[in-house]
């Protein structure tokens, strides 16, 4: 009696009716193909419509199948299609499809009734329905699997490794497998081998085990396995604990599928050799995730958490020989590890580029595992495989799988993603120093998992571009608008805030180089925004090899290239040093003749209240002065402009040093003169604005305003000296009245001139010289920014323009009392009617002396705390003859006693 198959019977009848050029096997193969090799849904529907168009209800059935294909597996749709036509065919069929007999099977050398991978020969790569090589029936009876095989995401052919990998030991008898590969090219395709494994697994799951010697199954018994009622979907149910799409398209996980109900052999009644044969068949299927009858997985606990979610435990038939049971207990952990890995791959699919790349690497190892299963089954077919030999073959694989499983469980439980995954994998490599096989596998996994991350890194350090859809890269782009639409003060924050490092996204092997990586891409971005083409001298492939640090050389080379190129753009093409020299000349009063001519030209305008000063008048006077002084030869003189601020120097210094946000916001003007609000500003274009940004210009303005105010006080003191020179013509008695005033004026002049000399000659010039010398050796823009900032901060600190010292307030008060004294000398009408000239001069003397002594005392106190500062030089200059020493000592004693 011949074997029959309900699915093929129905398909055969439909094909005969429609005269279609297909066979049942061709149709089944296309519905059972892996995801990459399967026909589209429209093509599958066209195939079914072609063979069923002669049936009166074919439109209704095709419509139903169309809806099923949108949500279910194609194999499920085919079963529904068969069910709709099966009742009619079973009732009206008077002939049976002749299938190859069991006697033909036994002639191949395989055990009677055994399911073999070698018995299947469909080409998984076949895409055409009319391919001649596909028009063959299968060499033995097959049941229909109810889902697409696991791990169908990749179709690349991975080479079978002869050494290393998961299959660490090869037996002499397995050479036959390689010989068959040479003679049969179709078998060399790993995707075909994988499909054969899964076909065999699915076939065994549907038909279970046939009794030894049973070679026939009648039509009605076969059709009973597929009931013609509305509960067809229950045949496909599987208690996996995962969404249906995971089970259907990615993993088996011991799905419980109701197939043909056959009588199982009485295991305890079989001899040891027969027990071993039955056991090996189930064991091979069990390793791939297929449920058996004698090796049964325990149902998963729905409430399990942690590592238990990824473990599988098995029960072994009680009547099995104890020696075989003990060997099984050594092999079954491999099945648990393998299925656990498949679960984690399914659960993490789509969780970022790094995890996807890791899963792709695990897919390659899965392919190796299937090759091992194929080789083992071929020995089983040749009756050369025993449980002991299988354990010997699998022992290296068990060790490696355990390590992989442990590593992935840690990744899963800690919810690692991106860089954290790479850090964990890299750390595992070091812990596997004693296990070379597992270490090599981990090195390969780490290398492949890091590929997308290293591609992002290469794009960043060689082109300055970030492509990071999953936010896994260590550098974050905080750009909001286009560079051409930047707000006024964007350059201040651009360098520090445009690109930032996310510390939690840095793999451990890049931790030491994160700052260099950040700067490299930033340099390239500035170069690109300058209109320059970023083209490295040579494209270097950046890959992670955990065994060496080749990637470090690539990072260093890219960094030095970008640093040199941006320095050349700044220093050569945009003449940064020329701009800095111009800023020093104007804002630090280094261009003496220009400063004096400008003060002469603007003195009347700046003496007004700030609300009455006309900025346009100041701009015109500035332009005139620039062209009449030695500054006319400066190529950057047009970058200098006038600015009237809304606050005095003390307020500006406080807001700048505290970095308060309201500094940038407009405020109500105070009752100040134009002189107190006046400052130069210097406007530059990108990329020089990176160095001369708004914060840097504001620091220059602070120095300028203090120097400019002191210079103004000096000019007023000189003016009264000139105007009062007429006193030389007075009689000695009359001149005696002015002697105390002239003495006070000279002391004021001495204090102000020494203060100017200290700031300009002892502070600014030495720091500028140090800055210029260091700039000659600079290697990158970050060093330029740091050196420039250090220069400004050192000048501000030693010129007493820091909030912590409070000395700038004392300087401001000294200058104010000097200006009041000048007004008094020039305009005696300001005298109180009860005051005499000499009494008023004496009060000015006491007030000025008190302020000066308090100022010198504050400097002494600061010098004791920090001997590195140069404040004491100013004390020695002002108190050069110890004129104020006695008064300072008395003040110190008074403070100590009070």
């Amino acid at each position: 009696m011949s074997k029959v198959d309900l699915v093929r019977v129905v398909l055969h009848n439909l094909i005969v009716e429609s005269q279609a050029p297909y066979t049942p096997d061709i149709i089944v193969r296309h519905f059972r193909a892996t995801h990459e090799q399967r026909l589209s849904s429209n093509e599958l529907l066209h195939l079914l419509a072609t063979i069923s168009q002669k049936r009166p209800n074919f439109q209704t059935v095709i419509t139903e199948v169309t809806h099923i294909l949108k949500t279910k597996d194609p194999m499920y749709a085919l079963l529904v299609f068969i069910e709709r036509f099966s009742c009619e065919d079973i009732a009206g069929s008077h002939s049976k499809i002749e299938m190859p007999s069991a006697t033909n099977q036994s002639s191949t050398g395989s055990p009677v009734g055994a399911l073999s991978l070698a018995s299947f020969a469909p080409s998984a790569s076949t895409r055409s329905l009319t391919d001649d090589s596909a028009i063959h029936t299968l060499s033995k009876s097959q049941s229909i699997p109810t889902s697409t095989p696991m791990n169908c995401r990749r179709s690349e052919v991975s080479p079978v490794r002869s050494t290393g990998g998961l299959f660490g030991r090869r037996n002499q008898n397995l050479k036959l497998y390689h010989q068959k590969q040479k003679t049969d090219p179709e078998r060399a395709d790993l995707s075909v081998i994988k499909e054969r494994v899964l076909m065999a697994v699915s076939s065994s799951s549907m038909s279970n085990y046939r009794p030894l010697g049973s070679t026939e199954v009648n039509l009605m018994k076969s059709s009973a396995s597929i009931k013609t009622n509305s509960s067809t979907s229950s045949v496909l149910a599987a208690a996996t604990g995962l969404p249906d799409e995971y089970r259907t398209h990615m993993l088996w996980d011991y799905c419980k599928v109701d197939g043909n109900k056959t009588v199982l052999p009485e295991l305890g009644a079989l001899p040891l050799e027969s027990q071993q044969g039955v056991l090996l068949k189930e064991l091979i299927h069990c390793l791939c995730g297929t449920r058996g009858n004698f090796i049964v997985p325990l149902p998963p606990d729905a409430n399990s958490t942690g590592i238990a979610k990824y473990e599988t435990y098995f029960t072994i038939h009680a009547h099995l020989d104890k020696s075989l049971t003990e060997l099984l207990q050594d092999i079954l952990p491999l099945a648990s590890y393998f299925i656990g890995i498949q679960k984690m791959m399914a659960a993490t699919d789509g969780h970022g580029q790094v995890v996807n790349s890791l899963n792709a690497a695990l897919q390659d190892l899965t392919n190796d595992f299937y090759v091992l299963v194929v080789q083992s089954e071929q020995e089983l077919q040749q009756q050369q495989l025993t449980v002991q030999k299988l354990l010997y073959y699998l022992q290296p694989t068990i060790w490696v799988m355990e390590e992989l499983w442990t590593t992935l469980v840690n990744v899963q439980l800690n919810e690692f993603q991106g860089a954290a995954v790479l850090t964990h994998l890299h750390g595992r490599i070091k812990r596997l120093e004693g296990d070379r096989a597992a270490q090599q596998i981990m090195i390969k996994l780490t290398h492949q998992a890091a590929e997308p991350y290293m591609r992002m890194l290469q794009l960043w350090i060689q082109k300055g571009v970030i492509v990071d859809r999953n936010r896994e890269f260590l550098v974050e782009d905080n750009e909001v608008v286009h560079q051409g639409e930047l707000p006024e003060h964007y350059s201040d924050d651009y360098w520090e805030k445009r690109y930032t490092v996310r510390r939690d996204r840095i793999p451990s092997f890049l931790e030491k180089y994160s700052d260099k990586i950040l700067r490299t891409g930033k340099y390239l971005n500035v170069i690109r925004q300058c209109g320059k083409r970023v083209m490295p001298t040579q494209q270097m492939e950046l890959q992670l090899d955990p065994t060496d640090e080749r990637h470090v050389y690539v990072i260093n080379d890219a960094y030095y290239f970008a640093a040199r190129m941006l320095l050349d753009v700044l220093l050569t093409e945009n003449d940064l040093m020329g701009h800095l020299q111009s800023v020093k000349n104007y804002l630090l009063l280094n261009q003496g003749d220009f400063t004096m001519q400008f003060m002469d030209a603007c003195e009347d305008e700046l003496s007004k209240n700030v609300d009455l000063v006309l900025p346009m008048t100041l701009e015109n006077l500035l332009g005139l002065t620039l062209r009449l002084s030695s500054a006319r030869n400066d190529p950057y003189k047009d970058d200098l402009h006038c600015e009237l601020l809304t606050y005095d120097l003390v307020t500006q210094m406080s807001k700048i040093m505290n970095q308060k946000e309201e500094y940038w916001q407009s405020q109500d003007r105070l009752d100040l003169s134009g002189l107190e609000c006046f400052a130069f500003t210097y406007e530059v274009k990108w990329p020089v604005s990176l160095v001369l940004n708004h914060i840097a210009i504001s620091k220059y303005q602070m120095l300028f305003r203090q120097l400019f105010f002191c210079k103004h006080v000096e000019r007023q003191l000189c003016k009264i000296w000139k105007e009062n020179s007429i006193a030389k013509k007075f009689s000695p008695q009359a001149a005696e009245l002015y002697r105390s005033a002239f003495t006070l004026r000279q002391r004021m002049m001495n204090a102000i001139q020494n203060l100017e000399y200290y700031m300009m000659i002892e502070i600014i010039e030495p720091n500028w010289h140090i800055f210029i010398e260091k700039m000659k050796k600079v290697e990158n823009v970050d060093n330029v920014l740091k050196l420039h900032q250090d220069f400004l901060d050192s000048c501000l600190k030693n010129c007493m323009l820091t909030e912590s010292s409070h000395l700038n307030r004392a300087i401001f008060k000294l200058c104010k009392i000097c200006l009041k004294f000048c007004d008094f000398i020039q305009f005696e009408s300001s005298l109180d009617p009860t005051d005499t000239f000499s009494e008023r001069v004496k009060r000015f003397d006491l007030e000025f002396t008190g302020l000066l002594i308090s100022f010198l005392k504050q400097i002494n106190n600061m010098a004791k705390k920090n001997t590195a500062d140069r404040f004491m030089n100013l004390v020695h200059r002002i108190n050069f003859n110890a004129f104020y020493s006695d008064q300072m000592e008395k003040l110190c004693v008074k403070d100590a006693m009070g």
Side-chain angles (χ1 to χ4, degrees):
M1 184 180 291
S2 62
K3 286 190 175 184
V4 291
D5 188 307
L6 174 63
V7 174
R8 287 173 175 77
V9 167
V10 176
L11 290 177
H12 177 268
N13 292 341
L14 293 173
I15 291 170
V16 171
E17 290 178 8
S18 62
Q19 298 297 314
Y22 312 134
T23 67
D25 295 323
I26 289 296
I27 297 173
V28 171
R29 186 179 307 130
H30 280 290
F31 275 84
R32 190 163 49 191
T34 57
H35 183 73
E36 294 86 351
Q37 299 165 344
R38 182 188 303 152
L39 296 176
S40 66
S41 296
N42 289 336
E43 290 174 318
L44 293 175
L45 287 171
H46 176 72
L47 177 62
L48 296 180
T50 300
I51 64 174
S52 62
Q53 58 185 348
K54 296 294 183 68
R55 297 295 176 98
N57 61 335
F58 94 97
Q59 286 285 4
T60 304
V61 175
I62 293 300
T63 301
E64 180 182 1
V65 172
T66 302
H67 292 297
I68 293 174
L69 278 175
K70 293 179 181 179
T71 57
K72 297 294 184 179
D73 188 77
M75 203 58 220
Y76 179 85
L78 180 61
L79 290 177
V80 173
F81 176 84
I82 295 300
E83 180 190 11
R84 297 299 178 262
F85 296 115
S86 61
C87 294
E88 180 182 351
D89 286 346
I90 292 174
S93 178
H94 299 286
S95 61
K96 297 180 181 179
I97 308 301
E98 290 296 327
M99 305 297 288
S101 65
T103 56
N104 292 334
Q105 291 181 26
S106 61
S107 64
T108 63
S110 299
V112 178
L115 294 172
S116 170
L117 294 179
S119 63
F120 295 94
S123 175
S125 61
T126 302
R127 304 295 294 174
S128 173
L129 292 174
T130 59
D131 189 350
D132 292 339
S133 62
I135 311 297
H136 298 289
T137 58
L138 296 179
S139 61
K140 61 180 293 182
S141 176
Q142 302 177 43
S143 296
I144 306 301
T146 59
S147 62
T148 305
M150 169 185 65
N151 300 315
C152 60
R153 291 169 294 171
R154 289 169 60 93
S155 61
E156 295 88 341
V157 177
S158 299
V160 179
R161 296 166 179 80
S162 59
T163 59
L166 289 175
F167 198 30
R169 294 172 180 158
R170 302 291 189 227
N171 188 274
Q172 293 291 336
N173 294 330
L174 294 182
K175 293 182 179 179
L176 179 62
Y177 173 77
H178 300 286
Q179 294 173 0
K180 289 186 177 181
Q181 279 190 310
K182 296 178 181 178
T183 58
D184 188 358
E186 187 176 287
R187 291 176 181 243
D189 187 345
L190 190 56
S191 63
V192 176
I193 296 174
K194 173 180 160 185
E195 185 176 356
R196 292 171 183 168
V197 172
L198 293 163
M199 285 180 180
V201 170
S202 178
S203 179
S204 174
S205 176
M206 289 295 294
S207 62
N208 294 316
Y209 285 91
R210 298 181 179 88
L212 293 179
S214 175
T215 58
E216 298 178 349
V217 180
N218 58 48
L219 176 61
M220 297 306 295
K221 190 170 183 179
S222 175
S223 63
S225 64
I226 306 177
K227 303 181 184 301
T228 57
N229 54 34
S230 60
S231 62
T232 305
S233 59
S234 64
V235 178
L236 307 174
T240 62
L242 289 172
D244 182 69
E245 58 269 22
Y246 285 155
R247 183 197 67 78
T248 300
H249 298 297
M250 298 189 67
L251 65 98
W252 282 100
D253 192 20
Y254 306 103
C255 306
K256 190 174 182 180
V257 180
D258 294 332
N260 294 327
K261 302 299 183 180
T262 57
V263 179
L264 299 176
E266 187 64 37
L267 196 60
L270 297 177
L272 180 61
E273 185 176 352
S274 299
Q275 283 190 15
Q276 183 169 244
V278 174
L279 180 65
L280 283 172
K281 296 170 192 174
E282 281 218 359
L283 183 56
I284 289 176
H285 296 153
C286 181
L287 292 175
C288 296
T290 303
R291 177 181 292 269
N293 296 298
F294 307 113
I295 305 174
V296 181
L298 295 177
D301 184 1
N303 299 322
S304 60
T305 58
I307 196 172
K309 292 170 59 178
Y310 309 106
E311 290 181 315
T312 303
Y313 297 97
F314 300 89
T315 59
I316 303 173
H317 198 283
H319 295 164
L320 188 65
D321 186 83
K322 290 184 179 181
S323 62
L324 295 178
T325 301
E326 292 179 358
L327 293 172
L328 272 182
Q329 290 173 348
D330 292 334
I331 297 176
L332 286 177
L334 176 59
S336 177
Y337 299 147
F338 178 74
I339 293 301
I341 291 173
Q342 304 307 308
K343 286 182 181 179
M344 287 181 275
M345 290 170 61
T348 60
D349 189 40
H351 289 192
Q353 296 185 66
V354 172
V355 173
N356 286 347
S357 186
L358 174 62
N359 287 344
L362 292 171
Q363 177 68 46
D364 293 338
L365 295 180
T366 300
N367 293 340
D368 288 347
F369 183 76
Y370 282 131
V371 171
L372 183 148
V373 172
V374 170
Q375 294 171 335
S376 300
E377 187 176 15
Q378 285 191 334
E379 281 211 11
L380 176 61
Q381 292 172 3
Q382 298 166 6
Q383 298 182 357
Q384 296 177 353
L385 186 66
T386 62
V387 178
Q388 292 91 338
K389 185 184 290 186
L390 182 61
L391 175 60
Y392 177 78
Y393 289 160
L394 296 179
Q395 192 63 64
T397 305
I398 295 173
W399 295 333
V400 173
M401 278 287 190
E402 181 180 11
E403 177 58 36
L404 293 179
W405 179 81
T406 303
T407 301
L408 294 177
V409 165
N410 290 333
V411 169
Q412 188 75 1
L413 294 182
N414 291 284
E415 298 182 353
F416 288 149
Q417 291 188 10
V421 174
L422 299 179
T423 298
H424 183 68
L425 294 177
H426 195 265
R428 298 293 295 181
I429 293 174
K430 297 180 180 179
R431 298 189 186 99
L432 294 174
E433 289 294 341
D435 188 349
R436 182 168 179 79
Q439 187 183 51
Q440 290 300 316
I441 293 293
M442 197 60 63
I443 289 173
K444 180 182 177 182
L445 282 180
T446 306
H447 171 78
Q448 290 187 246
E451 284 182 354
Y453 196 96
M454 301 306 282
R455 282 196 300 269
M456 290 189 286
L457 177 59
Q458 181 170 355
L459 200 60
W460 170 249
I461 66 174
Q462 293 188 355
K463 295 188 177 180
V465 176
I466 296 178
V467 180
D468 184 18
R469 301 182 186 89
N470 301 101
R471 297 175 61 82
E472 295 178 300
F473 191 50
L474 64 92
V475 178
E476 182 178 22
D477 186 355
N478 301 304
E479 177 70 344
V480 179
V481 294
H482 189 269
Q483 203 272 337
E485 305 170 354
L486 299 179
E488 179 182 358
H489 306 298
Y490 186 82
S491 295
D492 305 339
D493 294 336
Y494 180 86
W495 195 253
E496 295 299 328
K497 297 182 179 179
R498 166 69 192 272
Y499 295 105
T500 55
V501 172
R502 294 180 287 203
R503 294 293 169 185
D504 59 333
R505 304 290 197 277
I506 306 176
S508 58
F509 50 85
L510 294 178
E511 182 70 35
K512 294 189 296 185
Y513 315 103
S514 58
D515 291 334
K516 186 174 289 188
I517 291 170
L518 174 65
R519 292 199 297 268
T520 302
K522 286 167 65 175
Y523 296 164
L524 296 176
N525 269 276
V526 176
I527 294 169
R528 183 183 294 105
Q529 293 181 14
C530 294
K532 302 283 291 182
R533 185 180 180 186
V534 179
M535 185 59 67
T537 54
Q538 57 179 350
Q539 288 289 342
M540 295 169 286
E541 193 69 22
L542 186 61
Q543 294 182 344
L544 173 64
D545 186 352
T547 59
D548 62 25
E549 294 191 347
R550 213 171 306 167
H551 60 280
V552 176
Y553 299 110
V554 178
I555 293 172
N556 288 334
D557 290 344
Y559 170 73
Y560 290 125
F561 167 79
R564 286 193 300 268
M565 189 172 183
L566 181 56
L567 265 185
D568 184 66
V569 170
L570 273 175
L571 298 180
T572 304
E573 298 183 17
N574 291 276
D575 192 18
L576 174 63
M577 297 309 299
H579 283 286
L580 291 174
Q581 186 62 52
S582 292
V583 171
K584 179 175 182 287
N585 290 340
Y586 303 131
L587 273 76
L588 300 183
L589 307 188
N590 193 59
Q591 195 87 17
D593 62 327
F594 160 77
T595 303
M596 299 308 296
Q597 291 184 39
F598 178 77
M599 296 184 78
D600 289 338
C602 298
E603 185 173 8
D604 293 340
E605 190 71 19
L606 292 177
S607 62
K608 302 177 183 178
N609 185 281
V610 66
D611 293 326
L612 302 177
V613 177
L614 299 177
M616 184 59 67
T617 301
L618 294 177
E619 283 289 338
N620 292 336
L621 292 173
L622 173 62
L624 180 63
T625 305
L626 285 171
R627 282 156 182 79
L628 292 178
S629 66
S630 59
R632 62 181 176 272
N633 297 320
D634 184 1
Y636 307 116
K637 61 181 179 293
D638 294 330
D639 293 334
L640 186 67
H641 299 281
C642 296
E643 185 175 7
L644 289 173
L645 303 175
T646 59
Y647 30 75
D648 58 14
L649 174 60
V650 175
T651 305
Q652 180 190 17
M653 185 276 301
S654 177
K655 293 180 179 297
I656 285 291
M657 300 312 296
N658 291 329
Q659 297 288 314
K660 292 185 178 179
E661 185 176 346
E662 59 265 22
Y663 169 73
W664 311 113
Q665 302 174 356
S666 61
Q667 298 180 356
D668 296 334
R669 293 181 181 272
L670 305 175
D671 186 17
L672 301 171
S673 67
L675 184 73
E676 292 174 294
C677 296
F678 175 77
F680 282 141
T681 186
Y682 193 84
E683 297 180 359
V684 290
K685 296 180 180 179
W686 185 267
V688 180
S689 60
L690 277 176
V691 180
L692 290 173
N693 54 54
H694 198 80
I695 294 294
I697 293 298
S698 297
K699 291 181 178 180
Y700 276 112
Q701 285 181 336
M702 291 166 61
L703 291 167
F704 168 81
R705 297 179 75 180
Q706 182 150 297
L707 290 171
F708 193 75
F709 197 56
C710 290
K711 183 65 70 175
H712 170 71
V713 173
E714 181 189 2
R715 283 168 54 84
Q716 295 303 313
L717 290 172
C718 289
K719 185 182 293 187
I720 64 171
W721 176 81
K722 291 179 183 179
E723 292 176 355
N724 296 146
S725 61
I726 193 174
K728 295 179 181 179
K729 300 179 181 180
F730 293 168
S731 64
Q733 294 79 10
E736 184 69 25
L737 294 173
Y738 285 91
R739 188 172 300 165
S740 60
F742 293 161
T743 302
L744 177 59
R745 180 199 61 78
Q746 186 59 38
R747 287 169 51 209
M748 289 180 174
M749 178 76 77
N750 176 69
I752 297 300
Q753 285 182 336
N754 277 290
L755 180 60
E756 289 180 33
Y757 181 90
Y758 165 77
M759 290 189 294
M760 297 182 66
I761 304 303
E762 294 194 12
I763 300 301
I764 294 177
E765 281 301 325
N767 280 292
W768 177 262
H769 178 74
I770 294 171
F771 170 64
I772 294 298
E773 289 300 316
K774 290 182 177 179
M775 282 293 291
K776 295 177 182 178
K777 304 175 183 178
V778 75
E779 295 182 350
N780 56 62
V781 175
D782 286 281
N783 288 345
V784 173
L785 293 172
K786 186 177 186 304
L787 290 175
H788 187 237
Q789 181 177 338
D790 290 345
F791 162 71
L792 288 173
D793 291 345
S794 178
C795 290
L796 288 170
K797 179 180 179 181
N798 288 284
C799 288
M800 295 158 285
L801 284 170
T802 56
E803 177 66 16
S804 59
S805 68
H806 303 285
L807 292 175
N808 66 300
R809 292 180 175 84
I811 294 174
F812 184 74
K813 291 178 181 178
L814 283 172
C815 291
K816 276 289 189 180
I817 195 65
C818 291
L819 290 177
K820 288 180 180 180
F821 176 74
C822 292
D823 290 341
F824 164 72
I825 294 297
Q826 290 175 309
F827 310 103
E828 293 185 13
S829 58
S830 62
L831 280 171
D832 189 279
T834 60
D835 284 344
T836 64
F837 180 83
S838 58
E839 289 175 347
R840 185 62 174 155
V841 170
K842 186 176 181 179
R843 278 202 296 272
F844 272 116
D845 192 344
L846 290 174
E847 187 175 359
F848 172 76
T849 302
L851 288 173
L852 184 59
I853 290 175
S854 175
F855 173 64
L856 297 176
K857 180 176 176 293
Q858 289 183 57
I859 294 178
N860 272 327
N861 293 336
M862 291 189 64
K864 292 177 181 178
K865 297 177 182 177
N866 189 355
T867 57
D869 295 334
R870 303 178 183 178
F871 296 142
M872 287 304 297
N873 292 357
L874 178 59
V875 175
H876 295 321
R877 283 195 162 276
I878 295 176
N879 191 29
F880 65 96
N881 58 357
F883 177 79
Y884 301 105
S885 298
D886 293 340
Q887 300 180 56
M888 289 174 62
E889 290 177 2
K890 292 179 182 179
L891 184 62
C892 291
V893 171
K894 183 178 178 181
D895 291 343
M897 294 179 64

